[in-house]
Amino acid sequence: MKKNTLIVLGSPNSPEGVLSDISRSRLNYCASLYTKGSFVLCTGGWGDHFNTSSKPHAEYSKAYLIKNGIPKDAFLDFALSSNTVDDAVKIKPVVEKLDNVHLTIITSEYHLERVKLIFNEILNPFELEFVGVKSNLSKDVYNKLVAHEKKAVKSILDNGLYY
């Protein structure tokens, strides 16, 4: 039986380290999927678009998940990434050390198509499952994120993936 590894992609937090609704929705979903013996990998370092605090985003995510019942020994090394391509690139060396794993990639529903494009290339031949968690966003914010994702996906399809 394959060992499940839950990978939570980074998302915004405040300069003080307060997790955004997007972050909490992904982390809550991770906590709901966690079973004893699973691994958890948190991504996210720093970036002007999601984290300008003194600590990496992944550290805030891990603390939140521990508060929500996931044991400290379930966590793998962080992938201190700055964007989605960097997520996949930095996850790869961590999961390559594991035997017989199934990777469950947890992101937001508006981000799912791009994540699949990137991760299916970079993390091939791992067994991957993708989850797009619904976010509690205003219609305006959601529509802006969807527009950004459409542009990003088009760029990958037109130009390929650079990493």
Side-chain angles (χ1 to χ4, degrees):
M1 187 168 148
K2 294 202 181 249
K3 190 154 184 170
N4 200 21
T5 299
L6 305 170
I7 299 172
V8 186
L9 299 190
S11 48
N13 56 257
S14 74
E16 299 76 37
V18 176
L19 294 167
S20 66
D21 288 342
I22 295 169
S23 294
R24 287 192 310 277
S25 67
R26 294 178 186 185
L27 294 165
N28 289 337
Y29 194 87
C30 176
S32 76
L33 279 186
Y34 178 80
T35 56
K36 187 177 174 153
S38 296
F39 293 122
V40 177
L41 192 159
C42 297
T43 76
W46 296 270
D48 289 343
H49 60 292
F50 76 101
N51 180 22
T52 58
S53 76
S54 60
K55 294 181 183 175
H57 175 78
E59 198 169 309
Y60 299 118
S61 296
K62 179 180 178 180
Y64 183 91
L65 289 170
I66 289 169
K67 271 190 206 167
N68 283 277
I70 296 181
K72 289 179 186 173
D73 65 358
F75 290 88
L76 299 172
D77 291 341
F78 295 147
L80 297 180
S81 49
S82 59
N83 59 58
T84 308
V85 173
D86 203 25
D87 282 335
V89 167
K90 290 186 173 161
I91 286 166
K92 190 173 184 177
V94 177
V95 297
E96 281 178 331
K97 297 174 188 169
L98 307 173
D99 290 322
N100 202 28
V101 291
H102 170 89
L103 307 180
T104 302
I105 315 301
I106 302 167
T107 189
S108 300
E109 82 284 5
Y110 62 83
H111 192 223
L112 194 57
E113 183 181 1
R114 181 159 57 115
V115 169
K116 285 180 179 181
L117 277 172
I118 294 166
F119 280 62
N120 280 325
E121 179 172 327
I122 296 173
L123 292 176
N124 183 18
F126 284 95
E127 184 180 300
L128 304 174
E129 177 182 352
F130 298 92
V131 177
V133 179
K134 187 168 177 11
S135 301
N136 214 6
L137 302 169
S138 73
K139 191 171 184 169
D140 281 353
V141 170
Y142 181 80
N143 288 339
K144 284 178 186 169
L145 289 168
V146 168
H148 169 78
E149 290 301 316
K150 284 182 179 176
K151 276 189 204 170
V153 166
K154 182 177 180 342
S155 178
I156 292 169
L157 294 174
D158 290 350
N159 305 310
L161 194 56
Y162 297 98
Y163 57 97

PDB file of all heavy atoms in Angstrom, residues 13-14 30 61 101 109 119 138 142 157:
ATOM      1  N   ASN A  13      -0.196  35.166   3.483  1.00  0.00           N
ATOM      2  CA  ASN A  13      -0.349  35.507   4.900  1.00  0.00           C
ATOM      3  C   ASN A  13       0.030  36.974   5.053  1.00  0.00           C
ATOM      4  O   ASN A  13       0.666  37.558   4.181  1.00  0.00           O
ATOM      5  CB  ASN A  13       0.485  34.612   5.822  1.00  0.00           C
ATOM      6  CG  ASN A  13       1.959  34.592   5.515  1.00  0.00           C
ATOM      7  OD1 ASN A  13       2.471  33.640   4.938  1.00  0.00           O
ATOM      8  ND2 ASN A  13       2.678  35.647   5.897  1.00  0.00           N
ATOM      9  N   SER A  14      -0.385  37.562   6.156  1.00  0.00           N
ATOM     10  CA  SER A  14      -0.108  38.980   6.397  1.00  0.00           C
ATOM     11  C   SER A  14       1.372  39.173   6.776  1.00  0.00           C
ATOM     12  O   SER A  14       2.062  38.206   7.110  1.00  0.00           O
ATOM     13  CB  SER A  14      -0.992  39.490   7.539  1.00  0.00           C
ATOM     14  OG  SER A  14      -0.499  38.995   8.772  1.00  0.00           O
ATOM     15  N   CYS A  30      -6.466  19.828   4.375  1.00  0.00           N
ATOM     16  CA  CYS A  30      -5.361  18.914   4.690  1.00  0.00           C
ATOM     17  C   CYS A  30      -5.619  18.207   6.020  1.00  0.00           C
ATOM     18  O   CYS A  30      -5.484  16.991   6.118  1.00  0.00           O
ATOM     19  CB  CYS A  30      -4.047  19.685   4.747  1.00  0.00           C
ATOM     20  SG  CYS A  30      -2.625  18.683   5.240  1.00  0.00           S
ATOM     21  N   SER A  61       2.034  27.585   8.279  1.00  0.00           N
ATOM     22  CA  SER A  61       1.141  26.479   7.899  1.00  0.00           C
ATOM     23  C   SER A  61       1.317  25.290   8.832  1.00  0.00           C
ATOM     24  O   SER A  61       0.336  24.714   9.315  1.00  0.00           O
ATOM     25  CB  SER A  61       1.428  26.040   6.455  1.00  0.00           C
ATOM     26  OG  SER A  61       1.144  27.077   5.549  1.00  0.00           O
ATOM     27  N   VAL A 101       5.164   6.171  -2.438  1.00  0.00           N
ATOM     28  CA  VAL A 101       4.270   7.225  -1.964  1.00  0.00           C
ATOM     29  C   VAL A 101       3.261   7.656  -3.028  1.00  0.00           C
ATOM     30  O   VAL A 101       3.506   7.542  -4.220  1.00  0.00           O
ATOM     31  CB  VAL A 101       5.027   8.480  -1.471  1.00  0.00           C
ATOM     32  CG1 VAL A 101       5.788   8.199  -0.205  1.00  0.00           C
ATOM     33  CG2 VAL A 101       5.916   9.054  -2.541  1.00  0.00           C
ATOM     34  N   GLU A 109      -9.357  25.822  -5.874  1.00  0.00           N
ATOM     35  CA  GLU A 109     -10.018  25.404  -7.121  1.00  0.00           C
ATOM     36  C   GLU A 109      -9.635  26.283  -8.301  1.00  0.00           C
ATOM     37  O   GLU A 109      -9.453  25.796  -9.411  1.00  0.00           O
ATOM     38  CB  GLU A 109     -11.537  25.302  -6.950  1.00  0.00           C
ATOM     39  CG  GLU A 109     -12.322  26.599  -7.058  1.00  0.00           C
ATOM     40  CD  GLU A 109     -12.267  27.538  -5.858  1.00  0.00           C
ATOM     41  OE1 GLU A 109     -11.531  27.287  -4.879  1.00  0.00           O
ATOM     42  OE2 GLU A 109     -12.958  28.564  -5.912  1.00  0.00           O
ATOM     43  N   PHE A 119       2.823  20.284 -12.127  1.00  0.00           N
ATOM     44  CA  PHE A 119       3.207  19.128 -11.316  1.00  0.00           C
ATOM     45  C   PHE A 119       3.268  17.846 -12.136  1.00  0.00           C
ATOM     46  O   PHE A 119       4.122  16.996 -11.884  1.00  0.00           O
ATOM     47  CB  PHE A 119       2.263  18.976 -10.122  1.00  0.00           C
ATOM     48  CG  PHE A 119       2.601  19.900  -8.982  1.00  0.00           C
ATOM     49  CD1 PHE A 119       2.549  21.275  -9.141  1.00  0.00           C
ATOM     50  CD2 PHE A 119       2.978  19.404  -7.752  1.00  0.00           C
ATOM     51  CE1 PHE A 119       2.873  22.140  -8.115  1.00  0.00           C
ATOM     52  CE2 PHE A 119       3.303  20.257  -6.703  1.00  0.00           C
ATOM     53  CZ  PHE A 119       3.256  21.630  -6.891  1.00  0.00           C
ATOM     54  N   SER A 138     -14.639  36.946  -2.216  1.00  0.00           N
ATOM     55  CA  SER A 138     -15.643  37.779  -2.874  1.00  0.00           C
ATOM     56  C   SER A 138     -15.588  37.491  -4.374  1.00  0.00           C
ATOM     57  O   SER A 138     -14.564  37.030  -4.893  1.00  0.00           O
ATOM     58  CB  SER A 138     -15.373  39.256  -2.615  1.00  0.00           C
ATOM     59  OG  SER A 138     -14.246  39.674  -3.360  1.00  0.00           O
ATOM     60  N   TYR A 142     -12.214  36.651  -6.545  1.00  0.00           N
ATOM     61  CA  TYR A 142     -12.206  35.353  -7.236  1.00  0.00           C
ATOM     62  C   TYR A 142     -12.010  35.554  -8.738  1.00  0.00           C
ATOM     63  O   TYR A 142     -11.175  34.881  -9.355  1.00  0.00           O
ATOM     64  CB  TYR A 142     -13.502  34.594  -6.952  1.00  0.00           C
ATOM     65  CG  TYR A 142     -13.560  33.247  -7.617  1.00  0.00           C
ATOM     66  CD1 TYR A 142     -12.909  32.150  -7.054  1.00  0.00           C
ATOM     67  CD2 TYR A 142     -14.246  33.068  -8.808  1.00  0.00           C
ATOM     68  CE1 TYR A 142     -12.947  30.906  -7.665  1.00  0.00           C
ATOM     69  CE2 TYR A 142     -14.290  31.830  -9.433  1.00  0.00           C
ATOM     70  CZ  TYR A 142     -13.647  30.748  -8.856  1.00  0.00           C
ATOM     71  OH  TYR A 142     -13.669  29.527  -9.472  1.00  0.00           O
ATOM     72  N   LEU A 157       1.113  26.946 -21.862  1.00  0.00           N
ATOM     73  CA  LEU A 157       0.752  26.214 -23.077  1.00  0.00           C
ATOM     74  C   LEU A 157       1.458  26.797 -24.308  1.00  0.00           C
ATOM     75  O   LEU A 157       1.872  26.050 -25.195  1.00  0.00           O
ATOM     76  CB  LEU A 157      -0.765  26.218 -23.265  1.00  0.00           C
ATOM     77  CG  LEU A 157      -1.563  25.463 -22.203  1.00  0.00           C
ATOM     78  CD1 LEU A 157      -3.059  25.655 -22.412  1.00  0.00           C
ATOM     79  CD2 LEU A 157      -1.198  23.962 -22.197  1.00  0.00           C
TER      80      LEU A 157
END
